[in-house]
Amino acid sequence: DIQMTQSPSTLSASVGDRVTITCRASQSLSSRLAWYQQKPGQAPKLLIFKASNLEGGVPSRFSGRGSGTEFTLTISSLQPDDSATYYCQQYNFYPPTFGQGTKVEIK
Amino acid sequence: EVQLVQSGAEVKKPGESLRISCKGSGYSFSSYWIGWVRQTPEKGLEWMGIIYPGDSDTRYSPSFQGQVTMSIDKSIRTAYLQWSSLKASDTAIYYCGRPIGDLDAFEIWGQGTMVTVS
């Protein structure tokens, strides 16, 4: 299976900060990577697909970049509602695999 | 509104069987794959497999092949995930989801079903 490694595991930032999460794959994915947001007690929610495409209804402060083996999710101006755990997922190879998650906390 | 609604939490004993469900609404049920994802604190999110309601074509992750069975009842727009003999290690939250294609991100998710085996 393809290994997905996210960093950092946890980050704490202030409202208004620019925040970046990195996801590295053990093999090249082309651009077949998604980012999800999960809040406690809720299902994951799709934010970004094909590495950089914003899902409908997702605020424009979220953006994704990358290709190959290195990808990033950026929140341009952190808001209180962004407190959550974020996961990357590759879907270039069977079986699709997820990163271990990055917990974003608001200072 | 497109949505997937899952069955409620279950508490079972080791060795028992179980079937949980995921009902789709607001879209052409037969035209989209339905997938299942397991979440545990130890292993995080794990993709289990997908099934196509149109013809019941099913693709399992090797980690879950032979451990679970996915099925569909198109007449009631419902997907199922079942176990014939539960283990304590099956304790998890199980989510159904609708990927855009067979190998794709899940754009719609059910609310999750907590399964406790103890």
Side-chain angles (χ1 to χ4, degrees), chain B residues 34-81:
Chain B
I34 295 258
W36 292 92
V37 169
R38 183 172 79 175
Q39 186 170 33
T40 61
E42 300 80 22
K43 295 188 177 182
L45 295 166
E46 299 174 277
W47 188 94
M48 301 175 71
I50 51 172
I51 184 167
Y52 189 68
D55 59 6
S56 293
D57 183 14
T58 309
R59 302 173 192 182
Y60 292 96
S61 165
S63 298
F64 292 93
Q65 179 85 47
Q67 308 304 308
V68 296
T69 301
M70 298 177 192
S71 61
I72 288 281
D73 186 337
K74 282 193 294 187
S75 69
I76 55 172
R77 306 169 63 88
T78 299
Y80 299 100
L81 180 66

Side-chain angles (χ1 to χ4, degrees), chain A residues 4 36 87-90 96-100, chain B residues 37 45-47 109:
Chain A
M4 305 298 293
Y36 299 91
Y87 296 93
C88 61
Q89 179 206 21
Q90 69 81 18
T97 47
F98 294 87
Q100 81 279 12
Chain B
V37 169
L45 295 166
E46 299 174 277
W47 188 94
W109 291 71

Side-chain angles (χ1 to χ4, degrees), chain A residues 6 9 25 33 36 38-39 44 47 49 51 54-55 57 59 62-63 76 81 84-85 91 96-97 104-105:
Chain A
Q6 288 182 231
S9 296
L33 181 114
Y36 299 91
Q38 186 179 32
K39 297 180 179 180
L47 299 176
F49 62 97
L54 199 66
E55 176 70 354
F62 291 92
S63 64
S76 61
D81 190 51
T85 301
Y91 52 95
T97 47
V104 174
E105 299 172 339

Side-chain angles (χ1 to χ4, degrees), chain A:
Chain A
D1 295 0
I2 305 300
Q3 302 302 311
M4 305 298 293
T5 304
Q6 288 182 231
S7 59
S9 296
T10 307
L11 72 85
S12 182
S14 299
V15 172
D17 283 354
R18 182 180 183 89
V19 166
T20 297
I21 299 167
T22 299
C23 178
R24 291 185 173 87
S26 59
Q27 289 186 44
S28 176
L29 307 178
S30 181
S31 294
R32 295 178 68 79
L33 181 114
W35 289 96
Y36 299 91
Q37 176 193 65
Q38 186 179 32
K39 297 180 179 180
Q42 296 184 18
K45 172 188 172 184
L46 180 64
L47 299 176
I48 302 279
F49 62 97
K50 288 186 182 175
S52 61
N53 292 268
L54 199 66
E55 176 70 354
V58 174
S60 59
R61 64 181 179 272
F62 291 92
S63 64
R65 296 187 65 178
S67 66
T69 62
E70 187 157 331
F71 301 85
T72 58
L73 173 70
T74 297
I75 308 172
S76 61
S77 178
L78 191 67
Q79 299 302 304
D81 190 51
D82 301 335
S83 178
T85 301
Y86 294 83
Y87 296 93
C88 61
Q89 179 206 21
Q90 69 81 18
Y91 52 95
N92 197 52
F93 299 98
Y94 271 108
T97 47
F98 294 87
Q100 81 279 12
T102 295
K103 186 173 184 179
V104 174
E105 299 172 339
I106 310 294
K107 282 183 188 172

Side-chain angles (χ1 to χ4, degrees), chain B residues 16-38:
Chain B
E16 291 186 331
S17 62
L18 174 65
R19 189 176 75 169
I20 63 174
S21 67
C22 170
K23 185 176 178 68
S25 62
Y27 70 99
S28 175
F29 184 76
S30 294
S31 300
Y32 290 85
W33 294 80
I34 295 258
W36 292 92
V37 169
R38 183 172 79 175

